Amino acid sequence: MTAEALTMDPVAEERVAEPLTEYVQRVTRRVRAFDRRHPLLWDLHLTGFWVTAALIDYLGDGWRSIARDTDVPAGLLLTLSLGLSVPLLWRRSHPRTVLLALTPFALANAWTGAVLQAAMLQMLVVFHIALRRPHRSLWWALPVVLAPVTVIAVRHPHGSADQEILPTLLTFVSAAAIGITVRTRRNYTEALEDRAHRLEIERDQQARLSAAAERARIAREMHDIIGHNLSVITGLADGGRYAARKSPDRAAEALTAISTTSRQALTELRRLLDVLREDDPPEAALTPQPALSDLDPLIEGVRSAGLPVHTTVHGTPTLPPGRQLTVYRVVQEALTNTLKHAGPGATSTIEISYDEGGAVTVTVTDTGRGGDPISTDGRGLPGMRERTSLYGGTLEAGPRRRPEQGWRVRLHLPEETPQ
């Protein structure tokens, strides 16, 4: 491809220019990284450069081409050259102090008529004032910089006063503008980096919160599933112990039911623990979450554990899976608490009412002792309330009103609001 074709093709031009841009950016990053690690060494190098340039101007007699008076003593010229360049070593840490330190040498340079070009190094200090100090510092820096130029215009006039002062004024404005631009760009970059850092922290926090919420959900599921199965197993074991004396066949049935329930609980436990593994769990056969169709097997299991349960259903269920799971878990927890706390001879009644709009009301009562069924791990009733609150429902749990005995749990889920 010819140079003319590259000029006509802006895309090709961009492809050619991009490597150079990346190279410049890479070199700039390396220089900045070196500066951050060794600021004094970097300042010594730059100051040495400007001192060398000032001495070359003095030793090579280049200053004579613009001097207003060429009879300035050599010793004074050397002093002025060093005085206008050596203080630059502290230009970044104390730019205002450096500018004030340069001022006597700049005034002497103007008064003698030597007009050394090293006096222009004041603009480098102006740049650092605009870069590192409040902008109001530029207001007093301006007369400090213009004072030597005014002395030259008065003591060694060469043309009109505006020709003497205007170039210096424009140079001052340019140096200040460059400093403000670099400062704005640096502040913007730092703000972006800070925002990116805060977003990373927020992302990590959200990940930890999500993990904690997931673990809480798994713990709640584990409590509902394992706690219920263990309660059923306990009831079956107690019944089997009494049946073993009079009816070995009933005892064998109880042992079979215990074995089946234990295997179900073990399967659920393994499935939940696989989720908590840090590495990728092996693929396993997954089963859907319990639904309303699973209430009958649940109730039959409780009955086999020795708790008579009477069920009444009004209406036709039209609930989404999430609400079905909530109803199932609340009934399961209520029956589990009855098995644990109601005592011998208790019975339980379940009444479920479905409305056409999708609302559902579940009432579970028992005729037990009426003690507090809240489990010691704090996951029983709080877990039911958490599930209920997800759908804007209400949950009431407490002893039945006298003279009735036992405990009552009432769940109400309102109609689902369209989004």
PDB file of all heavy atoms in Angstrom, residues 268-286:
ATOM      1  N   GLU A 268     -31.962 -35.896  50.713  1.00  0.00           N
ATOM      2  CA  GLU A 268     -32.111 -34.446  50.749  1.00  0.00           C
ATOM      3  C   GLU A 268     -30.890 -33.782  51.346  1.00  0.00           C
ATOM      4  O   GLU A 268     -30.437 -32.719  50.886  1.00  0.00           O
ATOM      5  CB  GLU A 268     -33.370 -34.079  51.556  1.00  0.00           C
ATOM      6  CG  GLU A 268     -34.677 -34.564  50.952  1.00  0.00           C
ATOM      7  CD  GLU A 268     -35.007 -33.822  49.666  1.00  0.00           C
ATOM      8  OE1 GLU A 268     -34.453 -32.735  49.443  1.00  0.00           O
ATOM      9  OE2 GLU A 268     -35.820 -34.343  48.882  1.00  0.00           O
ATOM     10  N   LEU A 269     -30.337 -34.386  52.392  1.00  0.00           N
ATOM     11  CA  LEU A 269     -29.152 -33.810  53.038  1.00  0.00           C
ATOM     12  C   LEU A 269     -27.974 -33.777  52.081  1.00  0.00           C
ATOM     13  O   LEU A 269     -27.247 -32.783  51.991  1.00  0.00           O
ATOM     14  CB  LEU A 269     -28.808 -34.615  54.286  1.00  0.00           C
ATOM     15  CG  LEU A 269     -27.572 -34.155  55.084  1.00  0.00           C
ATOM     16  CD1 LEU A 269     -27.770 -32.729  55.573  1.00  0.00           C
ATOM     17  CD2 LEU A 269     -27.295 -35.097  56.233  1.00  0.00           C
ATOM     18  N   ARG A 270     -27.757 -34.864  51.345  1.00  0.00           N
ATOM     19  CA  ARG A 270     -26.647 -34.888  50.388  1.00  0.00           C
ATOM     20  C   ARG A 270     -26.835 -33.845  49.298  1.00  0.00           C
ATOM     21  O   ARG A 270     -25.889 -33.184  48.871  1.00  0.00           O
ATOM     22  CB  ARG A 270     -26.552 -36.279  49.763  1.00  0.00           C
ATOM     23  CG  ARG A 270     -25.970 -37.330  50.710  1.00  0.00           C
ATOM     24  CD  ARG A 270     -26.027 -38.700  50.076  1.00  0.00           C
ATOM     25  NE  ARG A 270     -25.398 -39.703  50.937  1.00  0.00           N
ATOM     26  CZ  ARG A 270     -25.458 -41.018  50.720  1.00  0.00           C
ATOM     27  NH1 ARG A 270     -26.145 -41.479  49.673  1.00  0.00           N
ATOM     28  NH2 ARG A 270     -24.850 -41.856  51.543  1.00  0.00           N
ATOM     29  N   ARG A 271     -28.078 -33.688  48.834  1.00  0.00           N
ATOM     30  CA  ARG A 271     -28.342 -32.701  47.779  1.00  0.00           C
ATOM     31  C   ARG A 271     -28.037 -31.288  48.266  1.00  0.00           C
ATOM     32  O   ARG A 271     -27.454 -30.479  47.559  1.00  0.00           O
ATOM     33  CB  ARG A 271     -29.797 -32.806  47.321  1.00  0.00           C
ATOM     34  CG  ARG A 271     -30.145 -31.868  46.173  1.00  0.00           C
ATOM     35  CD  ARG A 271     -31.579 -32.013  45.737  1.00  0.00           C
ATOM     36  NE  ARG A 271     -31.828 -33.341  45.194  1.00  0.00           N
ATOM     37  CZ  ARG A 271     -32.617 -34.240  45.753  1.00  0.00           C
ATOM     38  NH1 ARG A 271     -33.236 -33.961  46.892  1.00  0.00           N
ATOM     39  NH2 ARG A 271     -32.806 -35.412  45.192  1.00  0.00           N
ATOM     40  N   LEU A 272     -28.418 -30.982  49.501  1.00  0.00           N
ATOM     41  CA  LEU A 272     -28.160 -29.647  50.038  1.00  0.00           C
ATOM     42  C   LEU A 272     -26.685 -29.419  50.286  1.00  0.00           C
ATOM     43  O   LEU A 272     -26.140 -28.340  50.019  1.00  0.00           O
ATOM     44  CB  LEU A 272     -28.951 -29.454  51.337  1.00  0.00           C
ATOM     45  CG  LEU A 272     -30.460 -29.324  51.191  1.00  0.00           C
ATOM     46  CD1 LEU A 272     -31.119 -29.305  52.554  1.00  0.00           C
ATOM     47  CD2 LEU A 272     -30.820 -28.069  50.411  1.00  0.00           C
ATOM     48  N   LEU A 273     -25.997 -30.433  50.793  1.00  0.00           N
ATOM     49  CA  LEU A 273     -24.564 -30.270  51.071  1.00  0.00           C
ATOM     50  C   LEU A 273     -23.753 -30.149  49.795  1.00  0.00           C
ATOM     51  O   LEU A 273     -22.705 -29.500  49.775  1.00  0.00           O
ATOM     52  CB  LEU A 273     -24.053 -31.451  51.907  1.00  0.00           C
ATOM     53  CG  LEU A 273     -24.597 -31.523  53.335  1.00  0.00           C
ATOM     54  CD1 LEU A 273     -24.027 -32.725  54.065  1.00  0.00           C
ATOM     55  CD2 LEU A 273     -24.280 -30.242  54.106  1.00  0.00           C
ATOM     56  N   ASP A 274     -24.205 -30.769  48.707  1.00  0.00           N
ATOM     57  CA  ASP A 274     -23.504 -30.629  47.429  1.00  0.00           C
ATOM     58  C   ASP A 274     -23.485 -29.191  46.959  1.00  0.00           C
ATOM     59  O   ASP A 274     -22.528 -28.738  46.316  1.00  0.00           O
ATOM     60  CB  ASP A 274     -24.169 -31.504  46.359  1.00  0.00           C
ATOM     61  CG  ASP A 274     -23.799 -32.978  46.531  1.00  0.00           C
ATOM     62  OD1 ASP A 274     -22.807 -33.246  47.236  1.00  0.00           O
ATOM     63  OD2 ASP A 274     -24.506 -33.836  45.977  1.00  0.00           O
ATOM     64  N   VAL A 275     -24.532 -28.436  47.268  1.00  0.00           N
ATOM     65  CA  VAL A 275     -24.593 -27.027  46.863  1.00  0.00           C
ATOM     66  C   VAL A 275     -23.537 -26.203  47.582  1.00  0.00           C
ATOM     67  O   VAL A 275     -23.013 -25.221  47.050  1.00  0.00           O
ATOM     68  CB  VAL A 275     -25.996 -26.457  47.142  1.00  0.00           C
ATOM     69  CG1 VAL A 275     -26.081 -24.997  46.742  1.00  0.00           C
ATOM     70  CG2 VAL A 275     -27.034 -27.271  46.381  1.00  0.00           C
ATOM     71  N   LEU A 276     -23.204 -26.608  48.815  1.00  0.00           N
ATOM     72  CA  LEU A 276     -22.259 -25.844  49.617  1.00  0.00           C
ATOM     73  C   LEU A 276     -20.804 -26.149  49.289  1.00  0.00           C
ATOM     74  O   LEU A 276     -19.911 -25.501  49.814  1.00  0.00           O
ATOM     75  CB  LEU A 276     -22.501 -26.122  51.109  1.00  0.00           C
ATOM     76  CG  LEU A 276     -23.849 -25.670  51.652  1.00  0.00           C
ATOM     77  CD1 LEU A 276     -23.988 -26.090  53.102  1.00  0.00           C
ATOM     78  CD2 LEU A 276     -24.009 -24.172  51.515  1.00  0.00           C
ATOM     79  N   ARG A 277     -20.571 -27.157  48.453  1.00  0.00           N
ATOM     80  CA  ARG A 277     -19.197 -27.491  48.125  1.00  0.00           C
ATOM     81  C   ARG A 277     -18.572 -26.377  47.303  1.00  0.00           C
ATOM     82  O   ARG A 277     -19.197 -25.777  46.442  1.00  0.00           O
ATOM     83  CB  ARG A 277     -19.154 -28.799  47.345  1.00  0.00           C
ATOM     84  CG  ARG A 277     -19.576 -30.001  48.163  1.00  0.00           C
ATOM     85  CD  ARG A 277     -19.525 -31.267  47.341  1.00  0.00           C
ATOM     86  NE  ARG A 277     -18.199 -31.470  46.776  1.00  0.00           N
ATOM     87  CZ  ARG A 277     -17.883 -32.501  45.969  1.00  0.00           C
ATOM     88  NH1 ARG A 277     -18.823 -33.373  45.639  1.00  0.00           N
ATOM     89  NH2 ARG A 277     -16.669 -32.634  45.504  1.00  0.00           N
ATOM     90  N   GLU A 278     -17.275 -26.104  47.535  1.00  0.00           N
ATOM     91  CA  GLU A 278     -16.585 -25.036  46.817  1.00  0.00           C
ATOM     92  C   GLU A 278     -16.297 -25.460  45.380  1.00  0.00           C
ATOM     93  O   GLU A 278     -16.363 -24.656  44.463  1.00  0.00           O
ATOM     94  CB  GLU A 278     -15.283 -24.671  47.530  1.00  0.00           C
ATOM     95  CG  GLU A 278     -15.505 -24.023  48.893  1.00  0.00           C
ATOM     96  CD  GLU A 278     -14.206 -23.616  49.534  1.00  0.00           C
ATOM     97  OE1 GLU A 278     -13.152 -23.837  48.917  1.00  0.00           O
ATOM     98  OE2 GLU A 278     -14.246 -23.082  50.655  1.00  0.00           O
ATOM     99  N   ASP A 279     -15.904 -26.716  45.184  1.00  0.00           N
ATOM    100  CA  ASP A 279     -15.659 -27.170  43.825  1.00  0.00           C
ATOM    101  C   ASP A 279     -16.974 -27.512  43.164  1.00  0.00           C
ATOM    102  O   ASP A 279     -18.031 -27.526  43.775  1.00  0.00           O
ATOM    103  CB  ASP A 279     -14.711 -28.378  43.814  1.00  0.00           C
ATOM    104  CG  ASP A 279     -15.231 -29.485  44.742  1.00  0.00           C
ATOM    105  OD1 ASP A 279     -16.165 -29.204  45.502  1.00  0.00           O
ATOM    106  OD2 ASP A 279     -14.678 -30.600  44.708  1.00  0.00           O
ATOM    107  N   ASP A 280     -16.890 -27.768  41.864  1.00  0.00           N
ATOM    108  CA  ASP A 280     -18.101 -28.075  41.116  1.00  0.00           C
ATOM    109  C   ASP A 280     -18.652 -29.416  41.562  1.00  0.00           C
ATOM    110  O   ASP A 280     -17.952 -30.442  41.493  1.00  0.00           O
ATOM    111  CB  ASP A 280     -17.795 -28.119  39.613  1.00  0.00           C
ATOM    112  CG  ASP A 280     -17.400 -26.756  39.106  1.00  0.00           C
ATOM    113  OD1 ASP A 280     -17.837 -25.763  39.716  1.00  0.00           O
ATOM    114  OD2 ASP A 280     -16.645 -26.687  38.116  1.00  0.00           O
ATOM    115  N   PRO A 281     -19.900 -29.460  42.024  1.00  0.00           N
ATOM    116  CA  PRO A 281     -20.455 -30.735  42.465  1.00  0.00           C
ATOM    117  C   PRO A 281     -20.716 -31.642  41.286  1.00  0.00           C
ATOM    118  O   PRO A 281     -20.986 -31.183  40.169  1.00  0.00           O
ATOM    119  CB  PRO A 281     -21.769 -30.332  43.138  1.00  0.00           C
ATOM    120  CG  PRO A 281     -22.145 -29.057  42.478  1.00  0.00           C
ATOM    121  CD  PRO A 281     -20.858 -28.363  42.137  1.00  0.00           C
ATOM    122  N   PRO A 282     -20.649 -32.944  41.491  1.00  0.00           N
ATOM    123  CA  PRO A 282     -20.960 -33.860  40.389  1.00  0.00           C
ATOM    124  C   PRO A 282     -22.424 -33.754  40.011  1.00  0.00           C
ATOM    125  O   PRO A 282     -23.283 -33.450  40.841  1.00  0.00           O
ATOM    126  CB  PRO A 282     -20.631 -35.236  40.981  1.00  0.00           C
ATOM    127  CG  PRO A 282     -20.743 -35.049  42.465  1.00  0.00           C
ATOM    128  CD  PRO A 282     -20.313 -33.641  42.735  1.00  0.00           C
ATOM    129  N   GLU A 283     -22.676 -34.012  38.760  1.00  0.00           N
ATOM    130  CA  GLU A 283     -24.059 -33.954  38.297  1.00  0.00           C
ATOM    131  C   GLU A 283     -24.878 -35.048  38.987  1.00  0.00           C
ATOM    132  O   GLU A 283     -24.473 -36.192  39.097  1.00  0.00           O
ATOM    133  CB  GLU A 283     -24.110 -34.136  36.782  1.00  0.00           C
ATOM    134  CG  GLU A 283     -23.456 -32.977  36.025  1.00  0.00           C
ATOM    135  CD  GLU A 283     -23.640 -33.132  34.538  1.00  0.00           C
ATOM    136  OE1 GLU A 283     -24.294 -34.121  34.138  1.00  0.00           O
ATOM    137  OE2 GLU A 283     -23.126 -32.291  33.788  1.00  0.00           O
ATOM    138  N   ALA A 284     -26.004 -34.658  39.496  1.00  0.00           N
ATOM    139  CA  ALA A 284     -26.865 -35.605  40.200  1.00  0.00           C
ATOM    140  C   ALA A 284     -28.285 -35.428  39.718  1.00  0.00           C
ATOM    141  O   ALA A 284     -28.663 -34.395  39.170  1.00  0.00           O
ATOM    142  CB  ALA A 284     -26.788 -35.389  41.714  1.00  0.00           C
ATOM    143  N   ALA A 285     -29.062 -36.453  39.962  1.00  0.00           N
ATOM    144  CA  ALA A 285     -30.485 -36.380  39.602  1.00  0.00           C
ATOM    145  C   ALA A 285     -31.174 -35.400  40.523  1.00  0.00           C
ATOM    146  O   ALA A 285     -31.115 -35.535  41.741  1.00  0.00           O
ATOM    147  CB  ALA A 285     -31.111 -37.762  39.711  1.00  0.00           C
ATOM    148  N   LEU A 286     -31.766 -34.370  39.943  1.00  0.00           N
ATOM    149  CA  LEU A 286     -32.413 -33.316  40.727  1.00  0.00           C
ATOM    150  C   LEU A 286     -33.914 -33.547  40.725  1.00  0.00           C
ATOM    151  O   LEU A 286     -34.497 -33.975  39.721  1.00  0.00           O
ATOM    152  CB  LEU A 286     -32.081 -31.938  40.143  1.00  0.00           C
ATOM    153  CG  LEU A 286     -30.596 -31.583  40.088  1.00  0.00           C
ATOM    154  CD1 LEU A 286     -30.426 -30.189  39.487  1.00  0.00           C
ATOM    155  CD2 LEU A 286     -29.965 -31.626  41.474  1.00  0.00           C
TER     156      LEU A 286
END
